[in-house]
Amino acid sequence: MGSVDSNDSTENSNNTFNPKNTTDTLDSKNSAIVTLKKIQLTHKITDNAMNSIYKFVNVVIQDKSISEFPTSTYVASKYIVNPELKQYPYCSACYSYLSQCTCNKKSKTMIFQSLISALKFMHSLPEFHQLCQEWRKRPANTFSDFYDGNIWKEQLQNGFFNSDYSYGLLVNLDWFQPFSRRTYSLGALYISIINLPRTERFKMENVITCMIFPGPKEPKQSGMDILLQPLIDELKLLNDGVQMQTINGIQTIKARVLTVSCDLPASRKILGFVQYNHTLGCNKCFQELRGENGDYSKVGSERLNQQHRDAINHLNQLPTQTEKEKYTKSTGYRYSSFSQLEYFDLVKYVAIDPMHNLFLGVGKKLMEYLKIAEMDIANFRLQEMFKFSPKNLPRFTLDQGLNAFELKAWILVFSIGVLKTPQSCLMSNEDFNIWSEFVLGCRIISGREINTFTLSAAQRHFQNCVDKFSSKYGKENLGPNMHLMLHMKDCILNAGPIYSFWLFAFERFNGTLGKYPHNKKEIETQIMKKAVTEFYLKNAKIKSSFETVIPIEEKSLKEKIEKKKISTNTR
């Protein structure tokens, strides 16, 4: 190697640490630098992370207002906003809270973050209220977000959104695995604020993790109604209005749950319907799905909110559990704690999640029946198409277990081109017609903007898919997802385009919560604390001198969007 001229050195040679002089005591600056390098080596910290630490140390040194500093993570946590978390111990047998239980059985603990407290914190953020008003400036005669659906329009017409401090909420409940090699299901209930722009609405820093339900098994259907009561109580208060301090002074904050979007098992557990494999397992219509008269390919008479509420009143009057179960079996109705919310429509406000229904449900089922995964030529063509496809699309093989994101890309982007070329088709025309009808329907409703004409066209494609599948493979093999697909049009008319209520974002949140480190004890509490701490930290406002320390990847999307707007406006 060539020699280095001493004049090229950027540091004074007298201040440079020479590893040969190990007996010399370093000065304070070099001691600090070597200490940081030792910490990096011990804890295997990346160079990028250390760059942030070096920048941070320099900012702290220059800030004369800092006279003392925390000496541990425990002490540092005292400086952070302490979220209002409540623990609700309950009986694992009857699910009653321990204060009301006489079973003396083993107890479990549900963790609850106050929705009201979370909203108070969000109203302390300068940009939150402004972002929540952007929907009022949208152009008319479009169908591109939740605000264009019937649910929002009805609330707007009845005056709920007359106040700038009234909010629509979307609720999701799902279960996730906190262990990689052990079956252990934890439940998480998330709440998203629909007033926020779509670019912000489903980002983790803007979604409230409201409840964590303990494992290792999911609570029974009857137990969920009891466990949800703390949330229902706060939702009733928010419907009437809660006084909160905002950047514009004390305001009356109102909020209503306008949509609950879950997978089928979760939606049946909390929204007052029998499971989807029941004879009357559809929560949208009275079509018999099983038994002698069962037919998944037809849509029956519409279920109505008042019918459900009347059924709940009747159930409450029945004296025995046997009579209640008999009535439920004949009608498909169960009690739901959401019925305590007078404004909540138990039919209309329950969405059918497109991710689980279309991609993980119908799409995966059709792939199995049409034996697409077994086609070696299809895999070969797919890999060739990947060479020319955008890098943001996933790469996969058809014979692996595809996740929702991969199935979405396969169905919407690749499948038609892979399965049929001008020279050949990899399946019979009959099977290809079944698949293409499904794909065309999915492509239409996945568009950025849709209208009643294109939505009706998508409905025809879905009905054709169901009829052709039924004709070849038998109506008994259709299954509940194919039937519920026929109700997707009504869900879109009520809640807006499918990306207004599909669950891709919440599935990512489940993955994030499942990867939080824990010591395998009281994991519900640990995961909830980490989730809410991340929620508060991502939204915390810091001095501008410290913002340069945070890596760009860690900055919230809100900050990135604001920078983009500023740069655009100055051109």
Side-chain angles (χ1 to χ4, degrees):
M1 295 178 64
S3 61
V4 178
D5 193 298
S6 60
N7 294 330
D8 293 338
S9 175
T10 57
E11 293 282 346
N12 189 304
S13 59
N14 294 329
N15 294 330
T16 303
F17 169 53
N18 184 353
K20 293 181 179 180
N21 300 329
T22 54
T23 59
D24 295 341
T25 301
L26 302 176
D27 60 23
S28 296
K29 177 180 178 181
N30 280 313
S31 293
I33 293 171
V34 171
T35 300
L36 285 174
K37 295 301 288 185
K38 286 184 176 182
I39 292 173
Q40 179 183 12
L41 183 65
T42 303
H43 297 286
K44 298 180 174 61
I45 304 174
T46 65
D47 286 342
N48 285 337
M50 289 303 299
N51 288 337
S52 296
I53 294 174
Y54 288 128
K55 292 178 183 177
F56 172 74
V57 170
N58 276 284
V59 173
V60 172
I61 292 172
Q62 295 169 17
D63 194 326
K64 304 301 182 182
S65 64
I66 299 176
S67 58
E68 59 180 353
F69 212 71
T71 57
S72 68
T73 55
Y74 175 77
V75 176
S77 65
K78 301 294 184 180
Y79 290 81
I80 301 171
V81 176
N82 188 23
E84 186 177 335
L85 294 183
K86 296 180 181 179
Q87 296 187 351
Y88 287 87
Y90 66 91
C91 174
S92 59
C94 69
Y95 294 96
S96 298
Y97 291 113
L98 291 187
S99 59
Q100 306 166 353
C101 177
T102 58
C103 296
N104 295 321
K105 300 290 184 180
K106 184 178 179 181
S107 67
K108 295 183 177 182
T109 302
M110 182 271 291
I111 314 298
F112 176 62
Q113 178 187 192
S114 168
L115 173 60
I116 292 176
S117 294
L119 288 174
K120 285 180 179 178
F121 170 74
M122 297 187 86
H123 277 92
S124 69
L125 306 176
E127 74 280 357
F128 174 74
H129 181 254
Q130 180 182 354
L131 285 171
C132 286
Q133 303 309 310
E134 288 190 5
W135 68 272
R136 299 182 186 273
K137 307 171 187 176
R138 298 174 68 251
N141 303 319
T142 62
F143 198 87
S144 58
D145 208 339
F146 194 97
Y147 320 116
D148 304 310
N150 294 329
I151 295 174
W152 192 272
K153 290 179 179 178
E154 289 169 3
Q155 294 293 328
L156 189 62
Q157 290 172 359
N158 66 28
F160 177 70
F161 289 115
N162 286 349
S163 168
D164 288 348
Y165 290 90
S166 295
Y167 301 96
L169 308 177
L170 183 149
V171 173
N172 168 254
L173 171 68
D174 203 358
W175 274 263
F176 64 94
Q177 299 290 327
F179 298 101
S180 58
R181 299 180 181 178
R182 175 183 168 191
T183 301
Y184 193 104
S185 294
L186 288 182
L189 187 142
Y190 307 99
I191 295 182
S192 173
I193 299 172
I194 304 172
N195 302 57
L196 286 169
R198 198 171 67 234
T199 53
E200 291 290 312
R201 190 180 309 152
F202 296 118
K203 301 306 173 184
M204 199 159 188
E205 58 264 31
N206 295 325
V207 173
I208 302 166
T209 305
C210 207
M211 308 179 92
I212 296 288
F213 302 96
K217 295 182 179 180
E218 300 177 12
K220 294 180 180 180
Q221 192 166 13
S222 57
M224 285 303 300
D225 290 317
I226 300 173
L227 299 180
L228 286 172
Q229 196 57 49
L231 174 62
I232 299 298
D233 290 341
E234 287 205 353
L235 288 171
K236 287 192 282 189
L237 292 175
L238 285 167
N239 182 50
D240 296 333
V242 176
Q243 296 282 310
M244 295 185 191
Q245 180 67 46
T246 74
I247 59 172
N248 296 322
I250 296 177
Q251 302 289 342
T252 300
I253 308 301
K254 293 186 176 183
R256 289 180 176 179
V257 176
L258 301 186
T259 292
V260 178
S261 185
C262 311
D263 62 15
L264 285 181
S267 68
R268 298 302 190 263
K269 278 195 172 186
I270 64 174
L271 292 163
F273 290 100
V274 291
Q275 285 296 339
Y276 54 87
N277 55 1
H278 190 276
T279 301
L280 293 172
C282 180
N283 64 316
K284 297 295 184 181
C285 72
F286 286 101
Q287 174 63 35
E288 291 188 20
L289 303 180
R290 306 186 69 175
E292 184 178 347
N293 299 319
D295 190 347
Y296 289 105
S297 67
K298 295 180 180 178
V299 174
S301 57
E302 180 183 6
R303 289 184 184 268
L304 300 174
N305 175 52
Q306 193 56 51
Q307 291 172 338
H308 197 157
R309 291 183 175 275
D310 291 343
I312 289 174
N313 291 333
H314 183 73
L315 277 167
N316 291 336
Q317 295 172 5
L318 294 176
T320 66
Q321 186 63 30
T322 302
E323 290 180 278
K324 291 180 180 181
E325 290 176 358
K326 184 178 179 180
Y327 181 76
T328 294
K329 185 177 181 180
S330 65
T331 63
Y333 289 125
R334 290 185 185 273
Y335 172 78
S336 170
S337 56
F338 279 88
S339 64
Q340 298 176 46
L341 306 175
E342 295 181 357
Y343 62 84
F344 189 83
D345 191 311
L346 293 163
V347 179
K348 184 184 293 186
Y349 288 12
V350 181
I352 298 171
D353 170 44
M355 185 190 78
H356 286 95
N357 176 251
L358 296 177
F359 304 133
L360 291 171
V362 178
K364 186 174 286 188
K365 184 184 186 73
L366 289 179
M367 288 182 68
E368 293 173 359
Y369 271 86
L370 305 181
K371 303 186 186 315
I372 291 175
E374 301 174 14
M375 300 176 183
D376 293 336
I377 300 178
N379 261 320
F380 175 78
R381 289 181 178 176
L382 180 61
Q383 303 312 311
E384 289 298 308
M385 290 185 72
F386 284 157
K387 297 177 181 179
F388 307 99
S389 61
K391 293 183 179 180
N392 62 332
L393 292 175
R395 268 55 176 167
F396 51 87
T397 58
L398 296 174
D399 54 355
Q400 72 184 57
L402 303 184
N403 59 35
F405 186 55
E406 292 165 343
L407 280 166
K408 174 173 168 264
W410 161 249
I411 291 166
L412 298 179
V413 181
F414 299 111
S415 64
I416 295 296
V418 166
L419 297 176
K420 188 172 184 178
T421 67
Q423 291 77 28
S424 65
C425 183
L426 300 184
M427 56 178 64
S428 68
N429 287 333
E430 195 174 9
D431 283 349
F432 183 76
N433 287 337
I434 294 172
W435 180 259
S436 61
E437 292 283 7
F438 169 66
V439 171
L440 290 173
C442 289
R443 283 181 174 178
I444 290 173
I445 65 172
S446 298
R448 282 289 180 183
E449 288 192 20
I450 55 179
N451 53 50
T452 53
F453 176 78
T454 56
L455 192 54
S456 297
Q459 179 74 5
R460 287 194 298 272
H461 285 304
F462 288 149
Q463 186 68 63
N464 290 340
C465 172
V466 169
D467 292 341
K468 291 177 180 179
F469 183 95
S470 176
S471 177
K472 180 170 182 179
Y473 295 101
K475 63 181 182 180
E476 67 278 4
N477 293 315
L478 286 169
N481 276 311
M482 287 230 185
H483 173 79
L484 290 171
M485 179 174 69
L486 303 179
H487 290 289
M488 190 59 67
K489 174 184 176 182
D490 290 333
C491 285
I492 293 172
L493 288 173
N494 289 327
I498 59 175
Y499 39 80
S500 300
F501 57 92
W502 67 15
L503 302 183
F504 281 101
F506 298 105
E507 286 294 311
R508 290 195 296 273
F509 301 158
N510 285 340
T512 300
L513 265 60
K515 292 178 182 177
Y516 281 144
H518 54 79
N519 62 7
K520 301 182 181 180
K521 296 179 180 179
E522 298 183 349
I523 56 177
E524 299 85 8
T525 304
Q526 293 180 59
I527 289 177
M528 177 61 104
K529 284 183 177 179
K530 285 181 170 61
V532 297
T533 299
E534 184 171 340
F535 169 74
Y536 282 93
L537 285 178
K538 284 190 173 182
N539 285 296
K541 296 301 170 186
I542 59 178
K543 291 178 66 174
S544 58
S545 58
F546 286 91
E547 288 183 350
T548 58
V549 175
I550 305 173
I552 188 67
E553 292 80 9
E554 299 298 324
K555 291 186 177 180
S556 70
L557 182 60
K558 166 66 182 62
E559 293 169 331
K560 297 178 187 177
I561 291 173
E562 286 302 312
K563 284 190 174 182
K564 186 176 181 180
K565 286 181 179 178
I566 292 171
S567 62
T568 302
N569 293 336
T570 55
R571 288 177 186 172

